[in-house]
Amino acid sequence: MTRIFSGVKPTGHLTLGNYLGAVRRWAETDQHRADALFCVVDLHALTVEHDPARVQRLSRQAATLLLAAGLDPALCTLFVQSHVDEHARLSFVLECTATDGELRRMIQYKEKSAQARGAGESVRLSLLTYPVLMAADILAYGTDEVPVGDDQTQHVELTRDLAVRFNQKYGHTFVVPKATHPAVAARVMDLQDPTSKMGKSHAATAGIVYLLDEPEVVRKKIMRAVTDSGREVEYDREAKPGVANLLDVLAACESGNPEALAGVYESYGALKKDTAEAVVELLRPVRERHAELAADPGYVDQVLKEGAERARGMARPRVDEAYRAIGLLPAG
């Protein structure tokens, strides 16, 4: 079977954008068609200033929400990154394969380091090197496909480059993966700033629908969404990004077509109302299942423990092989 790997970073509460852009597809499609690994990538959350207790809390919440969204431990492997030492082991070996120049060219490093400096914060070295850790996440498992959004494509390209370079220098060790992109609702935008992605770590939250928001909160956020000049409901991402975003969300909720839906509505208000109700109903079973799972933390712990054991069993032979290939003496 095709092997896929994807992860979610516990830097904030999971959003509607995370669900429509990735998590729903993981549950409905990917875990059924492939040997799938899904990971809470908690080590990546340490690359910026953070509250340790909050990272732990969000890591558990993310794992619980992934289960609530439909990930089935009988079909896929769900685990926490730091529970599998092979990620960190392989990361340093790949750092010895990567170059300073290619890491400094990463767009996210440029943006996030500039933000940190602008806030008067120091830039952690891990912010520069974390794409190599991401490469280790992927390569440790012989991953064939990596479902990602457009903003992570550059990191998958780096992963491919490192795999090819390592294989050429030290012998064939790694599968060279490819990035895959969802066809619909890959990029849900902020309701208050429809030119920016709906991000879980944004400071301003009025335009972000979180998976655990109460129904009335969801309705209020969507009814207050920024629209555009004019009154015509048209699907035009350039001229009417606010309306297009609402149509994208509604289409994703109802498995419809945003262009076709545009012809159904004569007012922004009606579009907002239907979008709000569609989102509330979409998220209702996720919220209800999350409440059940949160009341049984022992079950979630057991799922993560067993997932880490399976992941470790898959990763260790390949990482050990990489250690031998690069010249490290095998442990006795």
Side-chain angles (χ1 to χ4, degrees), residues 36-235:
L37 297 102
F38 301 110
C39 183
V40 179
V41 286
D42 54 344
L43 294 175
H44 290 292
L46 310 185
T47 60
V48 295
E49 289 293 329
H50 64 276
D51 173 6
R54 185 170 187 267
V55 171
Q56 287 192 357
R57 186 169 64 253
L58 290 176
S59 295
R60 171 175 290 282
Q61 184 188 90
T64 305
L65 275 169
L66 292 179
L67 291 169
L71 292 191
D72 184 346
L75 297 175
C76 67
T77 302
L78 174 63
F79 66 105
V80 175
Q81 179 189 31
S82 63
H83 294 178
V84 180
D85 292 345
E86 278 62 33
H87 292 252
R89 288 182 61 210
L90 182 56
S91 183
F92 183 76
V93 166
L94 293 177
E95 283 184 20
C96 297
T97 310
T99 68
D100 175 78
E102 62 190 344
L103 293 183
R104 293 188 185 279
R105 286 194 295 272
M106 294 290 108
I107 295 171
Q108 288 208 6
Y109 171 72
K110 292 180 179 179
E111 292 177 349
K112 291 184 178 181
S113 60
Q115 290 171 4
R117 293 188 185 98
E121 300 172 355
S122 58
V123 179
R124 299 187 180 194
L125 178 62
S126 55
L127 186 62
L128 176 66
T129 61
Y130 97 87
V132 181
L133 176 58
M134 181 177 170
D137 298 337
I138 296 165
L139 297 180
Y141 297 100
T143 303
D144 300 295
E145 297 180 8
V146 189
V148 292
D150 293 339
D151 58 334
Q152 292 293 330
T153 299
Q154 188 184 34
H155 292 161
V156 180
E157 288 303 313
L158 174 67
T159 301
R160 290 171 54 85
D161 291 344
L162 295 180
V164 169
R165 189 178 306 155
F166 190 99
N167 290 345
Q168 290 176 342
K169 284 190 173 184
Y170 306 114
H172 186 79
T173 306
F174 298 117
V175 174
V176 181
K178 66 177 181 179
T180 58
H181 304 282
V184 180
R187 202 170 173 85
V188 177
M189 312 306 279
D190 190 295
L191 296 171
Q192 291 298 313
D193 179 10
T195 61
S196 299
K197 188 176 75 167
M198 185 180 287
K200 61 181 178 294
S201 56
H202 289 182
T205 61
I208 302 171
V209 174
Y210 297 103
L211 297 190
L212 294 180
D213 277 346
E214 294 289 338
E216 282 309 309
V217 173
V218 173
R219 292 186 181 99
K220 185 178 295 186
K221 287 180 177 179
I222 294 176
M223 293 305 294
R224 292 178 176 176
V226 168
T227 49
D228 309 286
S229 59
R231 296 183 178 181
E232 300 80 9
V233 178
E234 299 173 343
Y235 186 76

Side-chain angles (χ1 to χ4, degrees), residues 256-267:
N257 179 283
E259 290 93 340
L261 283 172
V264 173
Y265 293 94
E266 296 183 356
S267 70

